[in-house]
Amino acid sequence: FGIFKFSVQDTDAVDDLIQCCNNHLPVIADVLKVKINPETIVEIFPNQNDYDQHIINPGMKGSPAISGYGKIQMVSPKAKIKIDSIPYQSRLMFIVHEYVHCCVDQISASLPLFLNEGLACYYGSNDFYRVVVEKYRNQLTFKPAINQLKNSYNEIPGVDVYSFLFIDFLIKTEGEQNLLTILKDHSSIESKNSDWLKFLGEVIQK
């Protein structure tokens, strides 16, 4: 699963990342009917500073991982990052999260950003986002409509959490076996708005 570039000090972490890919990517590829590119370049940086100096999108400095242009870049899962309370196993899953981003164009070249991010969060960071939803449930006071998620993505606080919840909503209400069909024909997705808002309200009120 990719061509890894890393410092000797991160050899063990890279072994763990490869095992994480082996455990998760075949399952995700089967569900989403995508192919994982074995020539993806995966760069593991020993610390945040090195990562920020070489990042493919300077606007994302300070993030723990990024993907694009056939490449995945990560801060080593053993190194300190901005949110330093994320467990090691969840840090390993960042690579799966980024691999999902690399594959979504195979589903639809015009997939809205909230669905793209939602898929990566659901399949690549599920445990992490379940904890976030449980911990910050009382702060999810805003209930964005689907057209807001679609058209005002960057203006919504915590939009990655809502994106995760939207994929969770689709799977729980439509079934995972129908997810791919919905994503490929996403032009009619706003018709699910009333059901989505009801689902979101139930999540917040738990």
Side-chain angles (χ1 to χ4, degrees):
F1 294 111
I3 301 165
F4 284 75
K5 298 183 178 183
F6 56 95
S7 303
V8 175
Q9 69 192 60
D10 288 315
T11 300
D12 291 345
V14 169
D15 287 343
D16 291 340
L17 287 166
I18 291 171
Q19 186 60 53
C20 184
C21 289
N22 289 337
N23 291 343
H24 296 279
L25 290 181
V27 177
I28 295 168
D30 183 59
V31 170
L32 299 179
K33 300 295 183 269
V34 295
K35 293 181 179 179
I36 307 298
N37 182 1
E39 296 185 3
T40 301
I41 302 295
V42 182
E43 296 179 340
I44 310 300
F45 293 91
N47 54 61
Q48 186 75 59
N49 187 55
D50 278 8
Y51 169 88
D52 287 348
Q53 286 182 4
H54 297 91
I55 195 167
I56 52 179
N57 178 358
M60 293 296 290
K61 286 182 179 181
S63 64
I66 193 171
S67 56
Y69 311 104
K71 182 182 286 189
I72 291 172
Q73 296 180 314
M74 288 180 61
V75 180
S76 168
K78 291 186 173 182
K80 187 178 181 64
I81 56 172
K82 188 182 296 184
I83 305 176
D84 209 35
S85 58
I86 300 174
Y88 182 71
Q89 291 301 320
S90 296
R91 292 278 301 273
L92 293 177
M93 288 297 291
F94 287 178
I95 193 170
V96 178
H97 181 112
E98 297 304 332
Y99 261 117
V100 175
H101 278 312
C102 292
C103 293
V104 291
D105 279 356
Q106 296 175 44
I107 299 171
S108 169
S110 61
L111 200 68
L113 188 53
F114 83 99
L115 294 176
N116 183 322
E117 187 62 31
L119 286 170
C121 293
Y122 187 89
Y123 287 104
S125 312
N126 197 291
D127 290 346
F128 173 75
Y129 277 96
R130 297 272 177 216
V131 171
V132 169
V133 169
E134 188 62 37
K135 187 174 181 179
Y136 298 103
R137 192 186 304 276
N138 64 340
Q139 295 182 32
L140 298 175
T141 52
F142 179 58
K143 292 191 284 187
I146 293 175
N147 70 325
Q148 289 175 293
L149 289 170
K150 188 175 179 180
N151 300 317
S152 305
Y153 181 88
N154 292 317
E155 299 169 19
I156 299 172
V159 70
D160 55 331
V161 179
Y162 293 112
S163 299
F164 163 79
L165 285 171
F166 191 82
I167 299 298
D168 192 41
F169 155 72
L170 289 179
I171 289 173
K172 285 179 176 173
T173 57
E174 306 285 346
E176 192 172 46
Q177 71 277 10
N178 296 315
L179 179 62
L180 200 57
T181 301
I182 295 167
L183 295 173
K184 284 181 177 292
D185 186 27
H186 56 79
S187 59
S188 60
I189 205 161
E190 289 183 36
S191 65
K192 304 181 186 299
N193 191 60
S194 59
D195 290 338
W196 154 244
L197 292 177
K198 179 182 176 184
F199 172 86
L200 192 54
E202 291 170 354
V203 167
I204 293 170
Q205 291 171 8
K206 275 186 180 179

